[in-house]
Amino acid sequence: MNLQQLFFVPSKFLQNEKWMNVRVGDIIKLENNHFVAADILLLSSSEPYGLCYIETAELDGETNLKVRQALTVTSDLGADVAKLADFNGEVICEPPNNKLDKFTGTLYWRDNKYPLDNEKMLLRGCVLRNTDWCFGMVIFAGLQTKLMQNCGRTKFKRTSIDKLMNTLVLWIFGFLVCMGVILAIGNTIWEQKVGRTFSVYLLWDEPIRNNNVVFSGFLTFWSYIIILNTMVPISLYVSVEVIRLGHSYFINWDRKMYYIQKDTPAEARTTTLNEELGQVEFIFSDKTGTLTQNIMVFNKCSINGKSYGDVYDEFGHKVEITERTDCVDFSFNPLSDRKFKFHDSSLVEAIKMEEPSVQEFFRLLSLCHTVMPEEKNEGDLVYQAQSPDEGALVTAARNFGFVFRSRTPETVTLYEMGIAVNYQLLAILDFNNVRKRMSVIVRNPAGHIKLYCKGADTIIFDRLDPSNQVLMNTTSEHLYEFAGEGLRTLALAYKDLDENVLEEWMKRLLNASTVIENREEGLADLYEEIETGLMLLGATAVEDKLQEGVPETIACLTLANIKIWVLTGDKLETAMNIGYSCNMLRDDMNEVFIISGHSVSEVQQQLRLVSSTVDVEKTDEFSEDSVFEETIIAEYALIINGHSLAHALEPELEQVLLETACLCKTVICCRVTPMQKAQVVELVKTNKMAVTLAIGDGANDVSMIKTAHIGVGISGQEGMQAVLASDYSFAQFRYLQRLLLVHGRWSYFRMCNFLFYFFYKNFAFTLVHFWFGFFCGFSAQTVYDQWFITLFNIVYTSLPVLAMGLFDQDVNEANSHRYPSLYRPGQLNLLFNKRQFFLCTLQGMGTSFLLFFIPYGAFCLVVRDDGSHISDQQAFAVIISTSLVIVVSVQIGLDTYYWTAVNHVFVWGSLAVYFAILFAMHSDGLFSILPSHFPFIGTARNCLTQKSVWLVIMLTTVACVMPGLACRLCRSRPRSRTSDSCGGPGAVHADTVARCTMFSSDTLVRLASGLSGHCVKKQCGLVGLCFGGLPMRQDCNYQLGRKKGG
Amino acid sequence: MAPSYNAKEEDGHQPGATGHGGAGTMTNKKPDNTAFKQQRLPAWQPILTAGTVLPAFFVIGLIFIPIGFILIVYGLTLLIDYTGVDMSSPCYNCSQSYSWNNTQSCTCSVHFSLDQPFESNVFMYYGLSNFYQNHRRYVKSRDDSQLNGDKTSLQYHICTLNRCSKECEPYRSSDKPIAPCGAIANSLFNDTLELYYIDPNGSRTAIPLVKKGIAWWTDKHVKFRNPSGNNNLTVVFQGTSKPVNWRKPVFELDPLDSDNNGFINEDFIVWMRTAALPTFRKLYCIIQKKPNNMTPTLPRGEYILEVTYNYPVRSFDGRKRMILSTISWMGGKNPFLGIAYITVGSVCFCLGLVLLSIHYRYGKRNNSAEISS
C-alpha cells in the first residue's frame, strides 16, 4: 500500500509519488476508485460545488456513498495545478484522535478564516467513488490518521486453559521440588542411619565417604528431579497442540458451516483457541453484514389505504412467500432491474391502470432521495445510494415504471412509463436525525410545484392535513402490521405548493442559508414551516434482510446463557429495528432504556436511573431469593449511542455502565467507532473475567475482533480485513451457533477430559518412584525398566488419549443444539479447573499408591509355581508397569464416551504394542546383541506366565479403577435421571449434563414448589432439559411465532 | 440431511450469472461428506449407568472373596530366624564373633519341629531383611557382559583401559580384574544351611537338598555364561582375582559339577537377581518329594537346621531366616494377597450395596419430582 502510486503536486506540475513519501501538508490528487491513504482535506473535485463521493465501508461498515464537499474558496481552484501549487493556506486543527465522525479545524488563507469540519475531510480507509478526480491536502498521515488511531494492537491470544495449564505446570514443578526435597532429606537420614552400617556390603561413593551424607542428599535431590520429571508433562503441550489442530480441521471440514452460495467453508484461522469456544459468555456482534445481509429489499407498501405485497391464494388466504412463489413480471419495463423481486401482481396491475395515487407514490419515490445514478451502458443503471433503504426504494420505483435516470443539481430526469419527464429541482430539504424526514420541492413540466416528503411515520402523521384522518388510520394499521414483521417503514406524503408562497419561502431560505450563526436552527424552522398540511400517499416497508436463521441463533445462544451485545456504527433507529427483528428487543420487555446523554453527568444520571429501576424490580420480585440474584428475571434492554458511550467509557463511569449493561438482557450500542467497540469488549473482558467473542465482517470490526478473546469474521461482502484479523471465519452468522454449541463445547469437553486424564496418567506413572524411594534407601532407584520410562508417554499411552481428545462426544450434535444449557459448564469452567486438577492428581496419587503397595505386599512372599522366587526387581518392574498400562487403559476406556474404530484400534493397539515391546525387549536375541542394554532378559516370560502375577495385576487393576468408578456413579446419580427424562438413556448422557442439572436442581426445586410463571418462562430452557418438557426448538419457534403474530 | 443440501444448491442458481459461477466452483471448497470429517464416525457409546456398573461390583466381590480364601488357606510355610540376636539363640556366638576377615567358619544348629507334615516338593528359602539389594548403587554395581561370558572384561589391560564396566567400582579390580565384579557379587550370601530330621529314636538323618533348578532357565542358559574357549574354568579365570569378600574364587563355587560352576552357579545366579525390596527371600534349595509317595517329604517331627554362619548381618541390623514352604497351584502361600483379595472383594460388594440403595432412593425421589411438576 505504501508503494501505491499517486499524483502529487510539489511544484507547478503533477508528479507521481509513492504513498510512503507523502508528508503532512502535501497536496495530492486522487482519482476515481482510489483508496485514500491519509486523512486529507478536500480542496477541489471534478464534481460541481466541490462535491466528492466516498465509500466508508472500511471505517464504519456502511457501504453507501457519502458526500464530502470542499470549501467554496478552495473548490474554485479546480484542477489548476499551478494555483494548487501556490495554495498556501494554513490549517490549525485538533490533535490526532480516533473519532471518525468529528473533525474541527480552521483554515487560514488569504487573511480569511474558514471553519473546517468532518464534511471536508477524506479519511484514510475511504475509497473515492463517482468522482473523476479530486485534490486534497494531507492533514494527518501514517499512524496519526484516524483509521490507524482506531486500530487495536494485535495481542497474542491464549486460552484460559492455556494459562491454567501453565500455572499447573508450575505447581507441578513446585510439587516436584518438594518431593525431591523430601526424598533428599530421607536420603540424608537414611545414609546416616542405615547406609553407614550397610557399607559392609555397599561402600559409599568417593564424595560421601568423608561422612558427608548431606552431599549425598544433595545428589539424591537432583537424581529424583530427573526421575520424577515425567510428572511435568512435556508431551502435554505437544498433544494439546495436536488436539487443537485436529479440532480446527474438524471446523474446516464441517459441511454444516459451509455456505454454498459463496462457496465458503468455515475456517479456523488459529488453532489455539478452540476450547475457549466452549466457554464464551459474551458475544459482541456487529450488525451490518453480520446479523443482516446488508441488502435492503422493497417488500411491501400501502398506497392510498390499500396494502400491497402479500400474496393470497384463490380462497383469500395469505400465502407464505418462499423462494418458489411466482414473481411479478416486469418485462413491460425495459429499464427494470432484473434482480428486483415482487410477488404481488396487483400493484403492477394498478400501475398499468394508471391509478393516480399509485403513480404519485412511485413518482415520489423516484424524486425524493439523494441517490446518484450511474449509467455505464444504455439502460444499465446502477444507483449509488447514501443509505441502502433509499436505494431499495428508488429501485422499486424504477421497476414499477418510474425510472430515475439522471440528475443534475437543478433537474431530475425520470422515465415515467417509458416517457422522459424532466423535473426542476427547486429545493432539497435534507434528512437528519432530528427531522427524521426529507423532502424535495420540484416543478413538473406542466409547471405545477409539488413538495414530496418521506419520513418516519410518526413525524409525517403529525404534519398531515386534517382531511387525511381516515386514510391515516388505515395506513397506520398497515404500518403496524409491517413493523410487526420487522420491516423498516417510511410514510410518504406530498403537498401542492403555490408559486407565490414558494417564492417568498425560497427567499427566506436563501437568507437563512447564508447566516453564519444558528444556521441549522434557522433552516430547520423554515423546513418545518413548509412541511405542513401534507397529503398522505402511503407507506413503504423495506426489509433489511436478516441473514438466515439469525433470530433462532440468537434465541438459542441466549438460552445457552450467552449474552449478546450488538455494537454497530448504524443509526439508533436502524439498530433498534434490527434488535426487534432479531428478537433481541421485544414488545413484552419490561422496558427499553435509551442512553443518549451529551455529557458525563447526563449519561451517569441516565445509567443510574436504569440500574435503580432494574434493581427495584428485582428486589421487589425476588428479595428473599438469593438464587435469582444473578439471573435477570425481568427483561430489560439497554440502548446506548456513541456519544454517550464515549462518556460512559470514562474510568469513573465504566463500572456503572458495565453493571447496568449486565443487568439488561439486551444491549445495543449504536453509532460507535471501531475503537469504542474494542473498548467495550475490553471493558467486559477485564472486569467480568468472562470469555468474550467478537463477530463482525468489516474493517471497522477489526479492533474489536482483535481485542476479544475470540474474534470471528464473517467472510461476507465487506472485504477481507475482518476475516484476516479473525480467529475463525465463516459466511453466515447462524453458523456461530454450531461453532459454539457443537464445536466449542466438544473442544472444551475433550480438552478438559484430555487434561484430566493426562495429569492423572502422569501422576500415576511417576509417583510410584516416590513410594519406592522409601524402600530403596532413597537412592533414586527407578521402579521401571528404563525402556518403559522412555516409551510409556510416547508409545503406550499417548494414542488412546489423543483419540479421546479428538473424537470423543459426550452429547451428539443434535442434542447439543437441542439443549443449549449443556453449554453452561464451559462458561462456569467446571470441567477443568484447579479443583478438578487436584482431583485428578489425587486420583493419580491414589493409583500410584495402590500400584506400588499391592505388589509390595504381595511380593515379600510371591513365588513362582516352580518355587523360584520372583520377588526380584525386574519382575517387580514388569508387574507394576503391566498393571500401570492396564489400569490407565481401563481408565481411558471408562473416560471415553464415544468409541470409534480409531479409539478401539488405539486402545487395544497400545496394549498389544506394550506386550509386544515388552517381550521383544526381554527376548534372548536383543540381549545377545547388547547385553548391557537389555538386562531384563527373560523377565517377562518368567513373570507373565505365572498365575500369581496375574492375580496381583488383577487385584491392582480392580483396586485402582473401582473407587473412581464408584465416585463417578455417585456423582452421576442426577445424570441418569436426566438422561431418562430426556428421551431415554443415550439421548443425553454426560457428566456435563449431570453438572448442569446439579446447579439447576435448586432452581428445579423452586420451580416445583411453585414460583411465578414469569420465572418459569425464563427457566424453561433448563426445565426443558431436566424434565424433557419443553425442548429448545419449540421454545425458539414459540418465540418466533409470537413475533410473526405481531 | 441430503434434501436440505439439494435445496440450497438450487438457491445457488438464483442470483444469476454469479450464482452459476459459484455453483461451478462450489465443488472446490465444499468439505467432503465423509463420516470422519463430519465427525459422524460410527461409534459404540457405552453408558455407565447403575444398571451396568452395579452388577460389575457384585460380580467382582463374589469372585474376589473366594480367591482370597484359597490364597490364604492353601500352602504351608515355616519360618526360622537364625540371625542370633538374642543371647539365648544358638547362633548368638557366631553372630557376635564373626566378621569378613575371619577364616574360621562358625557353625550353629537350630532345633525346630514341624507340626504338620510337608507334602510334595518342599522349597527352602533363605530370607534377609533390612538388606538393601534394591539400592541404586548396589543394583547397578554389576557387569552383565562379564557375566555373559565376555572375555575382554576379564583381561587386566583391557579392563584398565575402561573397556569393562565402570559400574562395578569400587569392586572392579584389585590388582587384577575382579571376576565377578561389583557389589552384588561381592556380597554373595555364603551361609551354608543343612537340614537334619531327628528320628523319634534320636538318630539324625540328613535331608537331601537339591541345589539345582533353583534359578530361572533364562538366567542359567542365556543371561549367565562362563567365558567360552576352555572347559577348564581355572584356566579361563586365570588373571582375575576373586571378589574381596569371597573365600574361594568363582571357578571353585561348585568344583564337582562343571554345569553349576563359575558364573552359572545357581546360588550365584539367584543372588545376582537383585531383590525388589529390603526384605526378601531367595530360593536356597529344593527338597524333592520321596519317590514312593507314601511318606511325606518332611514328616511331622523334630528337625535340626545346621548353619555354617559366614554372612554377617548384625552390623546393619539385618535378619537371616530359613523358610520352608510348599507350593500350591497358585504358587505358594500368600496371606497378604489373600487378605487383599478378600478386602477388595468385600469393599466392592459393599460399595455395590451402598450405590444400589442410593440408586433406589434417588430414583424414587426423581419420580415424585416429576409427578409434582
Side-chain angles (χ1 to χ4, degrees), chain A residues 43-91:
Chain A
L43 293 177
S44 65
S45 86
S46 59
E47 305 301 300
Y49 310 116
L51 285 175
C52 151
Y53 301 92
I54 51 169
E55 192 187 289
T56 56
E58 307 235 322
L59 289 172
D60 54 14
E62 297 184 5
T63 45
N64 57 40
L65 292 187
K66 298 204 171 54
V67 184
R68 293 289 181 263
Q69 189 173 19
L71 286 169
T72 332
V73 278
T74 57
S75 65
D76 291 342
L77 295 171
D80 190 337
V81 175
K83 274 192 194 163
L84 281 165
D86 286 339
F87 179 74
N88 58 354
E90 196 175 322
V91 174

Side-chain angles (χ1 to χ4, degrees), chain A residues 201 253 750 779 867 951 962, chain B residues 38-39 60 125 136 312 341:
Chain A
Y201 294 111
W253 285 334
R750 290 166 181 171
S779 61
L951 281 178
M962 277 302 164
Chain B
Q38 302 308 314
Q39 305 197 60
I60 286 170
Y125 302 89
R136 184 176 52 83
Y341 259 94

